[in-house]
Structures are given as C-alpha cells and as structure tokens.
C-alpha cells in the first residue's frame, strides 16, 4: 500500500477536498479546462489517464452538454468526481482497448500529467493511440511537467515517488515534449501552446487534426 493510499484511508470523506487543495499547489486544473474546453467544435471529450476525475469534473463544469469519457486502467477511475452525471462516464480500461471500437471518434483527446508516468520507450505509442482516437477536425491536448532545477520540480518528484508510489520521469525541456507530440501526430497543426499556472513547468501543447 502506497503512502497516498494510507493517507486516503485516514482522511476518509475529507480525501476529496484535501486532494483538490494539494493538487492546486501544482496545477490549476480549472484554468487548463477552460483553455481546452473553449476550443471550437468540441462536443465529445476523452481524457486518457483520468485518475480521480478532477480534470473531467473541471471540463464538465465548462459545459452542460459536452459528452465526456474518462479512462484509466487503475482502480476506480473517477473516484473523486463530483460533477454532473449525465453525459459523463468513466471506464477502467487502456486507451489501446478503446481504440478497437472508437477510432477517429473524439473532438478532443486529453493527456494531462500522464506521459511522465510512462517509460520513455512507450510514450510514442501512447501518443499514437491518442491521435488515432482523435476525430477529423478534432484536437489532441497534452499537458505535462517539464523539469527545471527548482523547488517545485523537487516537490513534484517527491509527491509522485512517495505519495503515489510511482517513479516519475519528467521531460528535461519543453522541446522534448513538443517534439514527441509533433512526431506522433502526423499532419497535425499546432493550435495552442503555453503554461498552466501556478508553475511554468506545466507545459501544454494542443494539436489540431485535419
């Protein structure tokens, strides 16, 4: 059992508010949700690696009729989701499994803080799958942590390493993240790029699919 699981067991019903406050120290999910939900023509959204469902909730709050699917092979994806239930679904599956039935389907596919949990040799395949799930005229939005020699990066590493029990492999620079996405989204056009507060380490790249 990881430290995070022990803490959740102790906190009980306080897990959700504490988790939200803790996560806000690293990333403004509401701000990121507003950025990507405002993309034109988005009515169906897929979040790959949705975890507890906090970003899905932030996305659901931006629109009352957007259809949202969150997937994660972990136990009980969307466990801390507290938003609307109509049009929002969570499934404990891999993206590659979803691809068998939903290729070229979603207006927006999101990878938020997922790639640094994936071994470098597997990142390209995951982006390939995300791109294949993106419908024509849709968008792939990727947000991940770019390492710098600052306190925020040290704390982010310790959080993943000891609270979630994972060993993160952060991108060394923005160029590395951008080049990975560009190489695995053939024909894509950059539709947005920037950082998510409160740290410039939160790099995002949005690519549109012709």
């Amino acid at each position: 059992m990881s430290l995070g699981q022990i803490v959740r067991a102790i906190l009980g019903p306080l897990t959700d508010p504490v988790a939200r406050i803790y996560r806000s120290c690293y990333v403004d999910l509401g701000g990121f949700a507003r950025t990507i939900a405002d993309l034109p023509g988005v009515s169906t959204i897929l979040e790959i690696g949705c975890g507890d469902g906090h970003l899905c909730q932030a996305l659901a709050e931006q629109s009352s009729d957007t259809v949202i699917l969150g997937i994660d092979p972990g136990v009980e994806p969307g466990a801390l989701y507290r938003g609307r239930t109509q049009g929002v679904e969570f499934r404990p599956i891999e993206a590659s499994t979803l691809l068998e039935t939903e290729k070229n389907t979603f207006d927006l596919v999101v990878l938020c803080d997922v790639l640094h949990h994936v071994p470098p040799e597997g990142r390209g395949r995951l982006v390939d799958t995300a791109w294949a799930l993106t419908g024509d005229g849709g968008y792939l939005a990727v947000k991940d942590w770019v390492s710098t020699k600052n306190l925020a990066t040290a704390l982010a590493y310790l959080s993943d390493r000891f609270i979630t029990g994972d060993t993160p492999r952060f991108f060394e620079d923005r160029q590395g993240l951008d080049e990975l996405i560009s190489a695995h989204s053939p024909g894509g056009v950059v539709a947005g790029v920037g950082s998510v507060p409160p740290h410039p380490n939160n790099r995002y790249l949005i690519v549109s699919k012709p």
Side-chain angles (χ1 to χ4, degrees):
M1 181 178 291
S2 69
L3 177 58
Q5 291 172 316
I6 294 173
V7 170
R8 290 183 181 216
I10 294 173
L11 289 174
L14 294 176
T15 298
D16 182 47
V18 170
R20 291 178 186 275
I21 292 171
Y22 180 77
R23 186 163 291 158
S24 69
C25 295
Y26 293 97
V27 60
D28 177 9
L29 289 181
F32 183 50
R34 287 188 293 273
T35 296
I36 58 179
D38 284 343
L39 292 166
V42 172
S43 60
T44 56
I45 300 176
L46 167 67
E47 185 188 0
I48 298 173
C50 66
D52 289 332
H54 283 164
L55 180 57
C56 283
Q57 181 171 332
L59 288 167
E61 291 169 353
Q62 300 303 309
S63 172
S64 60
D65 54 4
T66 301
V67 175
I68 300 172
L69 172 61
I71 63 171
D72 198 305
V75 177
E76 198 178 356
L80 299 182
Y81 178 85
R82 300 293 183 268
R84 61 179 169 90
T85 56
Q86 184 175 1
V88 180
E89 180 186 359
F90 295 95
R91 300 182 197 172
I93 60 173
E94 297 273 2
S96 57
T97 301
L98 186 66
L99 184 60
E100 296 173 5
T101 57
E102 304 293 340
K103 185 177 181 179
N104 203 43
T105 295
F106 298 91
D107 299 325
L108 173 63
V109 177
V110 185
L111 284 166
C112 182
D113 288 328
V114 171
L115 290 175
H116 68 255
H117 294 290
V118 178
E121 63 273 15
R123 292 173 179 174
R125 289 194 300 273
L126 179 56
V127 178
D128 286 339
T129 300
W131 189 242
L133 286 162
T134 306
D136 294 341
Y139 304 89
L140 171 62
V142 180
K143 181 266 163 189
D144 218 287
W145 190 273
V146 174
S147 180
T148 57
K149 293 181 179 180
N150 61 4
L151 179 60
T153 293
L155 292 175
Y157 177 86
L158 291 173
S159 173
D160 277 341
R161 182 68 185 89
F162 296 106
I163 294 182
T164 67
D166 193 17
T167 301
R169 299 173 178 86
F170 297 132
F171 287 88
E172 295 182 359
D173 51 43
R174 294 179 177 182
Q175 183 178 357
L177 175 60
D178 293 358
E179 289 180 349
L180 173 72
I181 305 309
S182 297
H184 293 274
S185 53
V189 178
V190 175
V193 62
S195 299
V196 182
H199 304 290
N201 305 78
N202 291 305
R203 174 75 166 181
Y204 74 81
L205 181 68
I206 303 170
V207 183
S208 63
K209 189 173 187 178

